[in-house]
Amino acid sequence: RSGARKPVPKAARSNSVSTLPPNTQLPLPLLGNVVVNEQTIKQNGSVTVDGLHITITVPNVMGLPVGTELRVAHANSAAAPF
């Protein structure tokens, strides 16, 4: 049936995005997966944060190539001496 809703994974139903711990990975049926609040801290102290990091892992009806990565709300920070 066109427009039919798919069930939301339990992990997403039981938590709002704002309460999920950093680097929470959730499946995206028929697409791949998404990491919510992805945080990477390097040895030099720089920090990279992506609100959503979507990775396409399967062929899909949208035609997005497998291996495509989409990053939403990307931020970088670093400190350096003056």
Side-chain angles (χ1 to χ4, degrees):
R1 185 174 104 190
S2 178
R5 290 183 159 202
K6 302 277 189 227
V8 176
K10 184 178 180 186
R13 283 194 313 260
S14 61
N15 296 298
S16 75
V17 171
S18 64
T19 62
L20 292 173
N23 303 315
T24 298
Q25 184 170 330
L26 300 170
L28 287 176
L30 306 177
L31 283 177
N33 59 63
V34 59
V35 179
V36 179
N37 191 12
E38 183 176 59
Q39 299 180 12
T40 306
I41 303 171
K42 295 185 179 177
Q43 280 187 324
N44 67 3
S46 68
V47 178
T48 301
V49 177
D50 291 310
L52 300 173
H53 180 186
I54 301 165
T55 304
I56 306 302
T57 60
V58 296
N60 56 83
V61 297
M62 292 190 290
L64 295 169
V66 171
T68 296
E69 295 186 25
L70 306 166
R71 296 173 191 268
V72 178
H74 177 83
N76 256 354
S77 68
F82 289 97

